[in-house]
Amino acid sequence: MRKSLVLVALFLTFSGSSEARLVKSMKKDCLVCHENWLLESKKESKKLLLNTSITAADELMCLSCHDGSLADDRLAFTNFNHFSHPVNVKVPKSFHLPKQFPLKDGKLYCGTCHTPHTETGSENKIDYAFMRVPNVNSALCIACHKENGEHGLNHPVLSDTKPLSPEQVEKVLALHGRVSSDNRVECESCHSAHEATGGRTLIAGVKNSALCLVCHENKIGKRNHRIHVALTSFMNADGLIGNRLVDGKVECLTCHKMHKEENRYLTVEKPETICAACHTAEKPALFSPHNVKGEGCLSCHLAHNAKTDQDLFARKPSSKGGFDRYSVESKECIACHNGGVSSHVVGSAANSHKGECVSCHNPHIWNPEKPEEVVKGKVEGTPENSFLIMPGEQLCVTCHGKRSVEGTFHDLRGKDIKVRNALGTPVNKAGLCESCHVPHRAVGAFLWGIKETTSAKKYIESLGVSDKESKTCLTCHYPGGIAADVGEITHPTGKKLGVKVDLPVGEGGIVTCGTCHDPHKWSAVGLNKNRAAASFLRVPEWSLCLKCHADKIGALSNVHASIKDKNVLGETPDEAGVCAACHVPHKAVGSFLRGVGTRKQKEFCLVCHSNDVMKSKYHDHPMGIKNPVNVLPGKKITCYTCHDPHTMTEYLLRIKVSNNSELCLTCHKKEDTTHSSHDFTQVDLPAKEKAVVAKFGKCALCHTPHNPKFKFLWSMEPVSGKTLDEKLCLTCHGKSGFAEKIGEHSHPIGDITNVYVKYSGLPLIEGKIDCATCHNPHGGKDRVRLTRKTVSGDSELCLSCHERKGRVIGTDHDFRVLGDKKVAEEGVCSGCHTPHNAKDVYLWNVEVKRVSSNVMNDLCLTCHSEGGMAQNKSVKYYFHPYRDIKTISVDRPGRHGDWPIYDNSGRRVKVGGAIVCETCHDPHVWSRWTDRGPGKLVEGNIRNSFLRNDTLKGSICVDCHGVEALLRYKLFHNAEVHAKHPFTK
């Protein structure tokens, strides 16, 4: 210890500064080695040198001092002969050692690099003391190891590098490494000849990549290849990489070599292929189209500073096309296959398979059947390769099943079809699944791969199909398509299903083609050639319809179940089920999927029932008109409105008709005869008519919806008559009818003679007065008399037309004034008249006394005579001669008033008639000066008394009697007036 301290004292002197300085002194410097050896050998020597084999800079000589006992040597020589620069190693002949660096017996020794007699060093630095060449910026290292510093083949040093950060410099120095004068990497940044702690004179060991991470700490982390990890069990590293594992783990030097390496990034194998040394399962990617421009693994991955944490992808993941919710792996695929380097565009996510890319694809193996197949250049894939994890057909059915499509009409493989799918592949060569479906760039629902032609589009629009699923079917099933079309009338799609069924429905619960059909399975009941049991139906046709239409189950056992005829598809109900008797799902010839008859036949039911109904020359119940109610189906009236062909009810009626005719009255509420004299459920009827009502309803006594005998759906044979209603009403109310008769004298019907009828508010029937002008056979205001207006009281009905006759109200001829209650009930007019079963002309209501030769007189005298109800106003003298004279009642100049004359039958005439009571009297007008009578009994005078005119001027009396007319007129009912010569006495 004392010797060492002395040597240090001799070797170094310290100034006041902290920097050690080298002080040269021949007296001291030489004695450091020479005297020391002399003393040790205890021999005499003239040169003060040992005369032995130990020479200057010999290892033994150097270690006599540099054995670690000197303070500055303890760290430098701790690892001598283990991690220090090797000595006693023979230099191979291939190694070009500069002449200035001597060898000892052909071997390296301390003196190869050092010499005590060198001038190297300075008073300010001891770094290069005793060095044969100043090791400034690793000059000494490079002098020998020139090839380890060549640009491009070695770890970059000096000018090939960037200055290290202060933190990095600090770490290097802490490991006893050095940096260049400008803080760049030099040889001694990694190596130390005497202070190394790792193999190959490294200042740190390669275990855990400690040395590399001093500077390259940015090469570890999530986006860098993992280190300090062992290979997984399925990896089989080749010899080179396997030998470079550090303690069986991957470290930086497993892949990288710092010197004499021609590969980019100093990788021990080409960076394009080095990954495959460990990742042997992914090696086929090097022979596939994913080896882009020869970049190999680097086409997709980066070992350091990758764009993703997961899988170290080389490109920034992209969600272009709507792939936002997909995994990083899928987005990495999209980065190239949607606007990236690949010409094989995936398209939008909406038109692509919903699974992840790697669910179907192995990006490292082009052909799953031939993994080692070499594929060069730009190629088009097929369903057998294209990086699929297995051949396309196997792949699809692995997840989706659907193998049942094989061998069916939907298996297009090898068929003579000249159509390409959306990916451009002929459908007959696209495989089992891709003939219809494509995983990318689909053009319809369910990854549909067959494009919609112009013809298909027009056809789809003509059918009104809007749901995506059904549209896919119609891209093939259209006129001129690769499959049979479904006709112009087919089962509707796109409508929401109103019931729960065990069949698949489209979005929103709508019916689609796929609701009834499974396009991947020809038959649900095994091998069956029967179209109704196959045809890709989910269940046989005879059971399928009732899945949704369970309410139609009555058709299985009603009269329609007996049909055996073939429908338009050539099927019988025995083959295709009861529904097929009338309906077909496709190629129907009419509404409601009519499967019978022809397109020219419009009414569904009449195709079969034309021989049952509409045989009459008169129209059946009208159809095609607006349906007035919501209770019965259809916007317009059809057979289906009243009849339900699928029910079990009698006559397939939706609502019963027996007794009260509920079905009829559903629409015809206003025609309900309830509480009227035509309510045939409440009136006494003959047995035959009663049975009709009980079975077919009260309406059926007069009407029938089918095969009527006359207009208005008349159910009975009409009688003869001059008007429409006369023919109808007299069927019952005529002589041979079972109802009350109307008699010989009834209200006249036929052509209009009274203009007031037009403005009465009462209907004309075919432009004529008819029974229904006054009567409403279904009710009316008076539901007993069935009159449209009331007759009781003021006889509203009668006065609607005979308005002027209403002036009788309140007169002596208004028998209500007399207290007649019956007239009050039957109406003011009923005192004298009745519309039916009258006793005489003018609808006279009482038996007429025949007291004169003219009925007009008789009508009045029936009351105004002895025994009559107006006998207190009896008229004894009333006769005016007419046989011997010719009476004329025509307008003439000077004529005033109305002076009617009548023939004996009561018909008003112009010439030849008789002067009768009505010539002077208007039985409905008490006074020309008032609109109503006084409402009580009063004695009449010349201004009232029902007199028709207020003056004789220009009268019919004056025409013959001249000046005598006044007397004869005023005294007409006196006996004197009727004498032969009354005014000559």
Side-chain angles (χ1 to χ4, degrees):
M1 177 64 70
R2 181 166 42 84
K3 177 186 68 173
S4 298
L5 293 176
V6 172
L7 289 173
V8 171
L10 292 172
F11 188 74
L12 298 173
T13 60
F14 296 91
S15 64
S17 68
S18 60
E19 186 181 57
R21 298 183 63 191
L22 180 62
V23 181
K24 294 183 179 180
S25 170
M26 289 300 294
K27 185 182 295 185
K28 296 178 179 179
D29 293 346
C30 297
L31 291 176
V32 170
C33 294
H34 290 280
E35 185 177 299
N36 184 49
W37 282 102
L38 177 63
L39 293 174
E40 287 291 325
S41 63
K42 298 183 187 313
K43 293 182 179 181
E44 294 182 358
S45 176
K46 295 180 180 179
K47 296 181 179 180
L48 299 179
L49 285 172
L50 293 174
N51 187 16
T52 65
S53 60
I54 298 177
T55 58
D58 186 272
E59 179 182 350
L60 182 60
M61 176 182 287
C62 295
L63 289 178
S64 62
C65 290
H66 299 289
D67 59 357
S69 60
L70 297 177
D72 63 322
D73 291 337
R74 289 174 187 170
L75 291 177
F77 282 86
T78 301
N79 297 316
F80 190 77
N81 266 343
H82 185 60
F83 293 123
S84 295
H85 193 291
V87 293
N88 290 326
V89 176
K90 192 170 183 178
V91 177
K93 293 181 179 180
S94 60
F95 189 86
H96 302 291
L97 185 68
K99 294 180 179 180
Q100 65 197 88
F101 299 106
L103 298 173
K104 180 180 178 183
D105 298 329
K107 297 180 179 180
L108 294 176
Y109 74 116
C110 296
T112 302
C113 297
H114 299 279
T115 177
H117 305 108
T118 183
E119 294 296 325
T120 300
S122 67
E123 292 184 357
N124 295 322
K125 284 190 177 290
I126 64 173
D127 294 348
Y128 313 123
F130 307 117
M131 302 293 284
R132 291 189 181 276
V133 175
N135 202 17
V136 177
N137 293 336
S138 299
L140 178 60
C141 301
I142 294 173
C144 290
H145 302 285
K146 183 178 182 180
E147 69 280 10
N148 287 352
E150 289 184 10
H151 176 77
L153 299 177
N154 299 277
H155 190 294
V157 294
L158 302 173
S159 61
D160 287 344
T161 66
K162 294 180 179 180
L164 300 179
S165 67
E167 292 79 10
Q168 290 172 325
V169 171
E170 184 178 355
K171 290 181 180 179
V172 171
L173 296 179
L175 292 173
H176 306 289
R178 300 182 182 185
V179 295
S180 68
S181 56
D182 55 357
N183 289 338
R184 297 177 190 268
V185 173
E186 61 178 12
C187 299
E188 291 168 290
S189 297
C190 298
H191 299 279
S192 176
H194 303 299
E195 295 182 279
T197 59
R200 298 181 182 274
T201 69
L202 296 173
I203 62 175
V206 296
K207 187 175 183 180
N208 293 326
S209 302
L211 179 58
C212 300
L213 297 180
V214 170
C215 296
H216 299 289
E217 60 181 355
N218 64 328
K219 302 301 182 185
I220 60 172
K222 291 183 178 180
R223 296 194 176 185
N224 295 273
H225 194 294
R226 292 192 299 163
I227 55 175
H228 322 321
V229 294
L231 298 183
T232 57
S233 59
F234 56 83
M235 290 183 175
N236 185 22
D238 62 16
L240 179 59
I241 292 296
N243 293 333
R244 296 183 67 84
L245 296 176
V246 180
D247 293 340
K249 295 181 179 180
V250 176
E251 298 294 345
C252 298
L253 292 182
T254 302
C255 298
H256 297 281
K257 182 182 178 184
M258 298 301 101
H259 301 293
K260 299 178 183 179
E261 184 52 69
E262 296 180 352
N263 295 317
R264 286 185 298 165
Y265 314 121
L266 301 178
T267 55
V268 297
E269 292 186 18
K270 290 184 178 181
E272 299 84 358
T273 62
I274 189 173
C275 303
C278 294
H279 301 278
T280 52
E282 287 76 23
K283 187 174 182 178
L286 301 176
F287 321 127
S288 76
H290 276 175
N291 186 355
V292 181
K293 296 180 181 180
E295 286 293 304
C297 303
L298 299 183
S299 301
C300 300
H301 304 280
L302 289 177
H304 301 294
N305 297 326
K307 300 298 182 181
T308 65
D309 300 345
Q310 184 178 342
D311 296 323
L312 303 179
F313 286 119
R315 289 175 175 79
K316 184 178 180 180
S318 171
S319 57
K320 184 178 180 181
F323 288 86
D324 308 75
R325 297 185 178 181
Y326 282 67
S327 67
V328 173
E329 294 101 320
S330 295
K331 291 181 179 179
E332 186 66 15
C333 299
I334 297 304
C336 288
H337 289 282
N338 261 359
V341 298
S342 176
S343 61
H344 295 87
V345 178
V346 168
S348 69
N351 297 324
S352 294
H353 195 288
K354 302 306 178 187
E356 301 293 347
C357 298
V358 294
S359 299
C360 299
H361 294 280
N362 180 348
H364 304 100
I365 300 177
W366 170 252
N367 188 337
E369 297 290 303
K370 300 177 182 179
E372 303 300 325
E373 180 182 6
V374 177
V375 182
K376 295 182 179 180
K378 185 177 180 181
V379 294
E380 290 295 329
T382 71
E384 304 304 317
N385 45 51
S386 304
F387 294 106
L388 295 174
I389 59 177
M390 63 181 71
E393 293 178 11
Q394 298 178 30
L395 178 61
C396 297
V397 299
T398 298
C399 293
H400 301 286
K402 314 298 184 184
R403 175 64 76 177
S404 54
V405 74
E406 192 168 14
T408 71
F409 290 111
H410 286 172
D411 182 355
L412 305 183
R413 296 175 297 178
K415 288 185 169 62
D416 185 18
I417 300 174
K418 294 178 175 55
V419 174
R420 293 178 179 270
N421 64 21
L423 300 181
T425 307
V427 294
N428 56 359
K429 297 180 181 179
L432 181 63
C433 302
E434 282 196 32
S435 56
C436 296
H437 306 279
V438 289
H440 309 297
R441 302 204 305 274
V443 292
F446 302 101
L447 300 177
W448 195 246
I450 300 178
K451 294 182 179 179
E452 184 182 281
T453 65
T454 302
S455 298
K457 183 177 181 180
K458 290 181 179 179
Y459 184 62
I460 292 170
E461 290 175 351
S462 71
L463 294 179
V465 174
S466 58
D467 67 281
K468 295 179 180 179
E469 181 176 348
S470 299
K471 280 185 174 182
T472 61
C473 300
L474 295 177
T475 55
C476 294
H477 292 276
Y478 68 93
I482 64 176
D485 64 89
V486 296
E488 296 181 24
I489 302 175
T490 188
H491 193 293
T493 61
K495 293 184 177 181
K496 188 170 183 179
L497 198 59
V499 295
K500 290 185 177 181
V501 296
D502 56 350
L503 295 172
V505 294
E507 293 181 5
I510 63 171
V511 176
T512 69
C513 294
T515 301
C516 299
H517 294 282
D518 180 348
H520 303 98
K521 192 172 185 179
W522 171 247
S523 174
V525 290
L527 297 176
N528 198 315
K529 295 182 179 180
N530 183 355
R531 193 206 67 82
S535 303
F536 299 103
L537 292 173
R538 295 190 179 275
V539 295
E541 190 173 334
W542 54 78
S543 301
L544 179 61
C545 301
L546 293 178
K547 290 280 187 179
C548 298
H549 304 285
D551 57 324
K552 307 296 188 296
I553 196 170
L556 299 181
S557 51
N558 68 17
V559 293
H560 287 155
S562 62
I563 298 174
K564 301 298 181 182
D565 299 329
K566 289 184 177 182
N567 59 29
V568 295
L569 298 182
E571 301 169 329
T572 65
D574 290 337
E575 295 170 336
V578 172
C579 300
C582 301
H583 306 280
V584 289
H586 306 300
K587 294 188 175 181
V589 293
S591 58
F592 296 99
L593 300 178
R594 177 160 60 88
V596 291
T598 64
R599 290 294 299 273
K600 292 182 179 180
Q601 294 171 296
K602 300 301 180 183
E603 285 299 330
F604 197 141
C605 302
L606 296 182
V607 173
C608 297
H609 294 283
S610 57
N611 295 326
D612 303 333
V613 298
M614 297 189 75
K615 294 188 296 184
S616 171
K617 65 179 180 179
Y618 299 104
H619 293 297
D620 277 28
H621 191 292
M623 292 189 290
I625 61 175
K626 183 179 179 181
N627 183 353
V629 296
N630 295 324
V631 178
L632 297 173
K635 292 182 179 180
K636 293 185 177 181
I637 299 295
T638 64
C639 301
Y640 192 70
T641 305
C642 299
H643 297 280
D644 182 350
H646 308 100
T647 187
M648 289 288 294
T649 61
E650 190 173 18
Y651 305 111
L652 305 181
L653 294 172
R654 294 188 178 277
I655 303 173
K656 71 174 185 175
V657 293
S658 58
N659 291 315
N660 287 319
S661 297
E662 290 180 41
L663 176 62
C664 304
L665 298 179
T666 301
C667 294
H668 303 284
K669 291 182 175 64
K670 292 182 179 180
E671 284 71 35
D672 188 357
T673 61
T674 301
H675 305 306
S676 78
S677 55
H678 272 180
D679 184 353
F680 300 130
T681 62
Q682 303 299 320
V683 298
D684 189 18
L685 296 172
K688 180 181 177 181
E689 283 72 20
K690 189 173 184 179
V692 171
V693 173
K695 187 172 184 179
F696 300 108
K698 59 186 180 182
C699 297
L701 203 56
C702 298
H703 305 283
T704 179
H706 304 300
N707 296 320
K709 301 292 196 312
F710 196 58
K711 297 178 181 179
F712 296 105
L713 302 178
W714 202 247
S715 63
M716 297 175 283
E717 290 290 344
V719 298
S720 60
K722 57 181 176 293
T723 66
L724 174 64
D725 287 344
E726 188 174 18
K727 295 175 182 178
L728 300 178
C729 299
L730 293 185
T731 307
C732 296
H733 295 281
K735 293 179 180 180
S736 59
F738 63 85
E740 182 183 358
K741 311 301 184 287
I742 62 172
E744 180 181 354
H745 297 290
S746 285
H747 192 292
I749 55 177
D751 294 334
I752 299 173
T753 57
N754 189 335
V755 71
Y756 295 110
V757 178
K758 293 182 179 180
Y759 310 105
S760 66
L762 297 173
L764 296 176
I765 310 303
E766 296 183 342
K768 300 176 181 180
I769 296 176
D770 215 334
C771 302
T773 300
C774 298
H775 293 283
N776 179 349
H778 302 99
K781 279 191 175 181
D782 190 325
R783 299 189 71 81
V784 175
R785 299 179 181 87
L786 302 178
T787 53
R788 296 187 181 278
K789 297 183 179 181
T790 57
V791 294
S792 60
D794 288 344
S795 296
E796 178 190 5
L797 176 65
C798 304
L799 298 184
S800 295
C801 296
H802 306 285
E803 183 179 9
R804 187 173 178 275
K805 305 299 189 286
R807 296 175 72 179
V808 74
I809 296 173
T811 70
D812 293 356
H813 287 171
D814 180 355
F815 296 160
R816 294 177 298 176
V817 174
L818 304 177
D820 192 327
K821 293 182 179 180
K822 183 178 180 181
V823 171
E825 176 63 27
E826 298 291 337
V828 61
C829 299
S830 69
C832 299
H833 308 282
T834 180
H836 304 299
N837 292 311
K839 307 298 183 180
D840 214 317
V841 295
Y842 289 100
L843 304 178
W844 211 249
N845 197 20
V846 295
E847 292 290 342
V848 178
K849 295 179 181 179
R850 297 301 179 184
V851 295
S852 72
S853 59
N854 192 294
V855 70
M856 295 303 291
N857 286 331
D858 294 343
L859 295 178
C860 296
L861 294 175
T862 297
C863 292
H864 293 281
S865 63
E866 291 295 332
M869 64 179 299
Q871 60 182 351
N872 61 334
K873 295 291 183 182
S874 295
V875 177
K876 296 181 180 180
Y877 304 100
Y878 53 84
F879 177 73
H880 188 288
Y882 70 96
R883 291 178 180 175
D884 299 330
I885 60 176
K886 189 175 184 179
T887 309
I888 300 175
S889 177
V890 295
D891 290 337
R892 62 169 177 78
R895 172 76 78 196
H896 290 281
D898 182 24
W899 305 90
I901 58 177
Y902 299 83
D903 64 14
N904 289 340
S905 66
R907 184 170 60 90
R908 183 171 178 171
V909 295
K910 294 291 185 181
V911 179
I915 293 174
V916 296
C917 300
E918 281 77 4
T919 303
C920 297
H921 294 281
D922 183 341
H924 301 93
V925 181
W926 171 251
S927 171
R928 293 184 70 254
W929 314 105
T930 61
D931 290 334
R932 289 286 190 273
K936 59 183 179 179
L937 294 176
V938 297
E939 191 64 33
N941 56 49
I942 194 66
R943 293 178 59 83
N944 45 51
S945 303
F946 298 105
L947 289 172
R948 189 180 293 277
N949 301 295
D950 61 346
T951 178
L952 288 180
K953 183 179 179 181
S955 68
I956 193 173
C957 301
V958 174
D959 290 344
C960 294
H961 297 285
V963 296
E964 292 183 0
L966 179 61
L967 288 173
R968 290 182 181 276
Y969 175 74
K970 295 179 67 175
L971 301 173
F972 184 76
H973 295 297
N974 292 330
E976 292 82 0
V977 174
H978 294 275
K980 286 188 177 182
H981 303 287
F983 299 109
T984 59
K985 293 181 179 181

